[in-house]
Amino acid sequence: MCWRASRKIEPSGQAREFLFVVKTIHTVEWMKQAARQARAEGKLVGLVPTMGALHAGHLSLVRAAQAQCDPVVVSVFVNPKQFGPAEDFEKYPRPLEADRALLERENVACLFAPPPLEMYPNGFRTYVNVEGLSERLEGRSRPGHFRGVTTVVLKLLEITQPHLAYFGRKDAQQARIVRQMARDLNLDSEIVVCPIVREPDGLALSSRNVYLKPDERRAATVLSHALDRARQEIAAGERDAVRLAALVRKRIDAEPLATADYVEIVDAETFESVTRLRRACLAVLAVFVGSTRLIDNMLIEEAEGLGETFRCTL
Ligand code: AMP
């Protein structure tokens, strides 16, 4: 299979660039065959799994993948198994043509966009679950969410057989759980975690930001501003994680349109709450702004060689 054709030889013998077209694949069988062939040709396959409605956050993963892999497969699949019954599965944005155009501009080789029945045919019964990690934080607020995530990610890894698969720290718990699954199940794919892309005012990019009304969009900056408040306190010497979490929550409570679901400082490996900052932690939060649920986090790492100094990355 030809993954990419960007030049055409005219009858005159002259080479002419022609518009790059992203290969769009809708069936599992075809995707498996294409991936097998790329591997057989000795190519380094990259996968960027998404639910579509692509934004600059997704594109940062695509670019990280393009820098290391060829071909890069971007999957666009709104996974019904990771939505609770009262969640936004039906209204989740699905602008597939716009997504395809964005991927074309990025020179992505392959868009994998299977319909739900292709991924979950009638009679589907098998799930994968990462115990413990999947029950905390997002898992506690959204029962069954991570079981749906790990099941679809394992299927996507099986179908596309990537050497590297790219995830965003925006969904830090998800990335940690996927990494655990890859380790526990001896998967061949390396899991790469990329930084959070934010709007200029600090709001982390998310496909769900389109739900925000103008006043909610303004209020939504409270997530990153609250985390930044914690960053300032840490820079001033605060090491008490309980006090830091309380400070973040207070900042969120001060925003009338925002309601905190959870605010915690957790160990970056176990996702258990900590009482004092240690080697690598995350300040994680989930906040309803109006009826839209947003998540964000800040990485807090001990700066090497500097004793008890911590570096915060929003
Ligand atoms: P989603 O389409 O929301 O399932 O996200 C697909 C991938 O993009 C996940 O690995 C996300 O963590 C990542 N992602 C989403 N938003 C951002 C962002 N603002 N910055 C970096 N990565 C992101």
Side-chain angles (χ1 to χ4, degrees):
M1 174 183 300
C2 175
W3 279 94
R4 188 188 306 272
S6 56
R7 278 157 70 86
K8 181 179 177 188
I9 308 295
E10 297 281 270
S12 64
Q14 223 182 0
R16 192 166 66 90
E17 301 296 323
F18 74 97
L19 195 67
F20 175 80
V21 177
V22 59
K23 181 183 291 299
T24 306
I25 297 182
H26 296 289
T27 69
V28 168
E29 261 329 294
W30 188 15
M31 187 65 247
K32 281 184 100 159
Q33 197 187 321
R36 254 198 309 267
Q37 181 159 349
R39 275 207 170 227
E41 288 168 6
K43 294 184 167 163
L44 200 68
V45 181
L47 171 68
V48 180
T50 82
M51 296 206 301
L54 301 179
H55 51 63
H58 296 117
L59 296 185
S60 74
L61 306 189
V62 170
R63 285 175 198 151
Q66 298 270 51
Q68 293 180 293
C69 306
D70 184 20
V72 168
V73 178
V74 177
S75 62
V76 169
F77 180 62
V78 183
N79 174 30
K81 305 281 186 196
Q82 69 187 69
F83 287 78
E87 293 184 354
D88 56 341
F89 174 68
E90 294 299 336
K91 78 164 182 177
Y92 199 86
R94 291 166 170 84
L96 189 61
E97 277 315 308
D99 288 348
R100 197 207 313 269
L102 279 174
L103 297 177
E104 215 144 76
R105 218 172 303 147
E106 297 292 325
N107 258 10
V108 164
C110 178
L111 162 62
F112 178 47
L117 266 173
E118 215 19 57
M119 292 296 275
Y120 302 113
N122 293 331
F124 181 89
R125 287 173 178 279
T126 306
Y127 294 85
V128 57
N129 190 45
V130 175
E131 291 179 2
L133 278 172
S134 297
E135 279 108 52
R136 307 213 63 250
L137 301 166
E138 282 298 285
R140 192 176 49 213
S141 297
R142 305 180 67 190
H145 170 66
F146 285 124
R147 184 178 90 136
V149 169
T150 39
T151 300
V152 82
V153 170
L154 181 59
K155 282 173 68 74
L156 290 168
L157 294 174
E158 276 298 304
I159 294 164
T160 62
Q161 292 290 311
H163 295 87
L164 296 114
Y166 295 78
F167 294 83
R169 181 171 56 82
K170 160 79 177 12
D171 300 275
Q173 192 179 3
Q174 167 177 286
R176 173 69 189 88
I177 287 171
V178 168
R179 205 170 241 172
Q180 185 72 39
M181 173 178 75
R183 190 190 306 165
D184 289 349
L185 300 183
N186 308 104
L187 303 184
D188 273 338
S189 310
E190 184 185 328
I191 306 301
V192 182
V193 182
C194 301
I196 302 177
V197 177
R198 298 177 179 280
E199 299 282 5
D201 65 4
L203 177 66
L205 267 62
S206 162
S207 305
R208 290 192 166 97
N209 291 351
V210 297
Y211 299 153
L212 299 168
K213 300 187 187 99
D215 54 342
E216 294 171 344
R217 170 62 188 81
R218 277 189 292 277
T221 56
V222 74
L223 280 84
S224 62
H225 290 173
L227 290 170
D228 194 55
R229 182 82 187 81
R231 187 187 60 75
Q232 289 167 23
E233 286 300 306
I234 293 167
E238 182 62 270
R239 299 290 178 262
D240 185 319
V242 179
R243 271 210 297 266
L244 284 165
L247 201 81
V248 173
R249 185 175 277 273
K250 195 167 153 212
R251 177 75 181 77
I252 289 160
D253 290 345
E255 168 50 62
L257 294 180
T259 311
D261 177 2
Y262 62 75
V263 176
E264 287 191 39
I265 314 253
V266 297
D267 182 281
E269 273 293 297
T270 63
F271 276 76
E272 297 286 347
S273 272
V274 297
T275 51
R276 264 192 89 71
L277 296 188
R278 54 168 89 154
R279 221 170 42 82
C281 303
L282 286 159
V284 288
L285 46 82
V287 176
F288 284 96
V289 179
S291 58
T292 304
R293 189 171 178 282
L294 302 174
I295 59 171
D296 201 348
N297 69 81
M298 175 173 76
L299 184 59
I300 307 166
E301 295 168 294
E302 200 171 4
E304 252 168 59
L306 294 175
E308 254 241 315
T309 302
F310 287 86
R311 183 183 338 115
C312 296
T313 313
L314 267 157

